[in-house]
Amino acid sequence: MSDYLMQDIQLRIPDILRYAAEQHGDLTMPSLDEEGSWNRDTYKTAQQRARRLAGAISSLGLAHQSRIASLALNTRRHMELYYGVTGAGHILHTINPRFSAEQIRFTVEQADDAVIFFDPAFSQQAEAIANACPSVRLFVALCPADHLPDLKLPGLTDYESFIAAAPADGPSALSERDGAFLCYTSGTTGNPKGVLYSHRSCMIHALAASATGNFGVGPGDVVLPCASMYHATAWALPMVAPMNGARIVLPGSKLDGETLLDLCANEGVTHAWGVPTIWKAVLDAALQSDRNLPDLRRIFIGGSAVPQQLKRDFEDHLNVEIVQIWGMTETSPLGVIATPSAALKREAKHTQDEILHAKQGRVPYGIELSIVDEGGKALPHDGATSGRLMVRGPWVVNQYFGHDAPVTDTHGWFDTGDVATVDPLGYMQITDRTKDIIKSGGEWISSIELENTAVEHPDITSAAAIGLPHPKWDERPLLVFSKRSGSAVSATEALTFLSSRLPKWWVPEDAIITNELPLTATGKVDKKRLRQIHADHYQKLEKQD
Amino acid sequence: MSDYLMQDIQLRIPDILRYAAEQHGDLTMPSLDEEGSWNRDTYKTAQQRARRLAGAISSLGLAHQSRIASLALNTRRHMELYYGVTGAGHILHTINPRFSAEQIRFTVEQADDAVIFFDPAFSQQAEAIANACPSVRLFVALCPADHLPDLKLPGLTDYESFIAAAPADGPSALSERDGAFLCYTSGTTGNPKGVLYSHRSCMIHALAASATGNFGVGPGDVVLPCASMYHATAWALPMVAPMNGARIVLPGSKLDGETLLDLCANEGVTHAWGVPTIWKAVLDAALQSDRNLPDLRRIFIGGSAVPQQLKRDFEDHLNVEIVQIWGMTETSPLGVIATPSAALKREAKHTQDEILHAKQGRVPYGIELSIVDEGGKALPHDGATSGRLMVRGPWVVNQYFGHDAPVTDTHGWFDTGDVATVDPLGYMQITDRTKDIIKSGGEWISSIELENTAVEHPDITSAAAIGLPHPKWDERPLLVFSKRSGSAVSATEALTFLSSRLPKWWVPEDAIITNELPLTATGKVDKKRLRQIHADHYQKLEKQD
């Protein structure tokens, strides 16, 4: 008698697309092709093509669990790679094309990628890889033969020719503990770090994300991921949509307001994902042309704070709900989601709005959160005490790819590098990055709250708060900001503005106006650079006194 | 470097209640206690009590994965057993109190239950077990000390005393492949067969059932399971509700129309489950008192066909949607669900209604369906061809408890014993049980369709169609029915009625009127008995000709 008496069926990613092909095979997934036209393949076609892709890959004779890379935007061919590469038993390394050439070289070498599938738009990156990484034996351009770019790359062929004659191949000998996706995250220092998602972690994540109180995507819905498929599987939407009988719209490189507005209207998009700037452009396009979006119900915004005005405008003018989500490459990415819990639904409307606006959200089933002090002691969930944010769960990283040791602590917690509060209702709010935190007289000051408050001033367009060495308080904040052109706002006025809204001891002693804040390669404010530039600012001030 | 780089966290049932206690711990789960009062414990309290129950059980020193039985209705203490027994690393055998004494004895012996937790209402069954199964060492009555029944049972104690002094215990050394629940199903012949659900199978099942297009239970919802917790975990609701931030209402023995109507109204029940008779009583109570149920959105009906009138009345008078679900003990139980798919939503309203009324439903992600002929060949999903219904999935049985060999075929399919069609949209309709099918001249006739058609006659109250040996056609159907008291409907009239609605060759040659159809121990029409009684009916008829 066997020990395990239920059917011992592995949780495997390709089974999602098989399910979709069988159960709702005629649903279309409109996709902007590299060659500029809109393709309307169905899930059934996508599955057939993904299986032929798996067959073509299998014929290369690579060892099980080889790494195969994509350099691609959100397109149907990228979606086929999600299912075809994993279906052939290999790992899809989704290269971030925004990484520097050196970062890309590092990731391709560490991953030991055997094949690179690339959008012709990323030909330059492909050439750089070919030059730097002689071990890549095959380059496949994600286009048909007549759009094949004229490049000198090992084995260069086009995707359509590559899969044309291949036999369909299935996920025969796949374990749920096998790797599925390899996704690198770049810090501000050091080399990018790779997170190797397993079939299992992706499947549990997709199932949990599908719950009614999380993404709430169901049959007949239409999802539009403007988050990138090279960023932590675009919030798992390429899995969540076919798993739930929803369509997926893949806009490729067309992320301008007009195009997305048309897409939402014409395809009946119900749920969309992305960063605020993208959705601000859609809002502007809608308001200018006096159009509305009757099908669109929710936009999930992750990756940066949601401007209050954007949220209000979407609700007031378009009757669209903006939902914050927070996650990171290391959390697959769903960490928390700002949908109302049962308890929050009992609060007054304005309390609900305040919490859902200000906070990143609450954990779905599967994720555990903890905030701890510097000694690792758990801190209360009182909404006021902030601590290092620790997470745990079946879709959270344990060890980076190619590293020797786990990155989790002895109790299995992963340190997110964020500093956060958790309120009694379970809503988490990020107050800082650990490395950006300002510690004044032994107490923490939230740089994020300083910055968010500063940009509420109508003439301040962007702001960074950094902690600088201070003779008396160890560290004090300095505000560096840029102002609206033509504005006469002064440093003193900015600080007075902060004083009216924040605890006195949080307000920086000084502020500096700059034309432009320095940015990192991934587009975030480079606070490390700012700290270097202004390192002795307070020490000099003290001497002047 | 470890092979598995994501956090290797097991899917364990007790983690659901921990999640609920931490994230929405103040949600109440109203429960009718054995002692007759309504308890309003919260998830937080339930988790604390379940952990103390686990501690009390651990102190018994049983081997890991021992079987512990419940003889109980839908109550908070039964829910605590779900989490406490599994949390202690043991298996909860949910005894069906409607089984015969002999069937119960068989299951307790085969399971080798060490402890029996029983509602005092089932004292008689508990005593029978004590007499027949000397290996049970401890009986715990699910009540406080002052309600302890006066019985002579080994180690008899009451539940509240049992857990009172125990230390909280957690799921420390639990694997997701460990057994969680043992649930027996009774056939019409042979001994009951036990299905051993694992933590893994229950968790994947609960996650999949939680999807928007399936149960669609979310934060703030209130679920009322009138399906029994001793029947395949009551459609997983004791897991689905706390996992999704929903409340659960546990009505114990009070399943009358008035009580359930009050419960639905007072607790704001949004989703309910049960058999048609229970919900007919609620409907009648609502109509008589002219009350409505503004919160109630959906009633899921499984276990028997939904009468068309009931569905219409709920929709027209109470604006409540009736959703068919189909499953069996062997499928955990969710097999199919009659919610609209994206494709069905595009059909005309009347087509949608027809399909959702007539068919049992479509598969959620995780379940695969196939219909096959007697040689095992797959048959087309054309909505007309019927075949043996086979299912496969991570929450489907592979091998019965205590049996030597898998019950699945070489491709892993489980034969449900049902005969069904599957239409091009993926909706499955059960046309027969394999053992009840009528095979006339080599062609199958659906006994269920004959019966459903017969009871559409206003004077026919119940009907059974059975296949009998026939000299010319091998087998021909006979209709046995009972009529409304005072009605003069004749056998000939009944057959004429069938002729007007069904293919000519389906219509039985004869019909017999009876006062009452014989029932099996589980309340289904005993067709085996009917076939015995009428075995030579057509042979006699032929001789008379």
Side-chain angles (χ1 to χ4, degrees), chain A residues 89-103:
Chain A
H90 302 301
I91 294 163
L92 183 67
H93 166 205
T94 52
I95 298 174
N96 183 340
R98 311 296 172 211
F99 275 8
S100 70
E102 169 50 26
Q103 285 173 319

Side-chain angles (χ1 to χ4, degrees), chain A residues 147-164:
Chain A
H147 282 73
L148 184 65
D150 183 21
L151 302 166
K152 289 231 179 327
L153 297 172
L156 178 63
T157 184
D158 68 279
Y159 183 84
E160 295 302 324
S161 305
F162 183 68
I163 70 168

Side-chain angles (χ1 to χ4, degrees), chain A residues 67 180 364 384 504:
Chain A
R67 270 74 62 197
K504 282 255 143 34

Side-chain angles (χ1 to χ4, degrees), chain A residues 391-507:
Chain A
V391 296
R392 196 160 65 177
W395 59 85
V396 178
V397 70
N398 183 53
Q399 183 169 323
Y400 289 112
F401 182 80
H403 287 213
D404 292 334
V407 70
T408 47
D409 69 17
T410 49
H411 300 288
W413 292 100
F414 170 73
D415 187 334
T416 61
D418 284 317
V419 177
T421 61
V422 183
D423 71 22
L425 293 177
Y427 286 83
M428 181 275 278
Q429 181 173 20
I430 291 180
T431 56
D432 233 318
R433 292 288 300 166
T434 311
K435 60 183 170 24
D436 295 333
I437 205 160
I438 303 160
K439 199 166 175 187
S440 172
E443 299 287 337
W444 284 353
I445 294 174
S446 162
S447 69
I448 292 180
E449 204 162 334
L450 281 175
E451 291 157 5
N452 287 349
T453 307
V455 295
E456 282 175 24
H457 188 290
D459 287 340
I460 296 182
T461 52
S462 59
I466 52 172
L468 297 181
H470 188 279
K472 182 168 176 195
W473 300 105
D474 292 338
E475 233 179 46
R476 284 297 297 162
L478 174 74
L479 184 73
V480 186
F481 68 94
S482 56
K483 58 183 186 178
R484 203 170 298 281
S485 79
S487 153
V489 63
S490 66
T492 312
E493 190 181 333
L495 295 176
T496 308
F497 184 79
L498 292 184
S499 303
S500 66
R501 283 163 169 77
L502 293 171
K504 282 255 143 34
W505 66 276
W506 280 36
V507 180

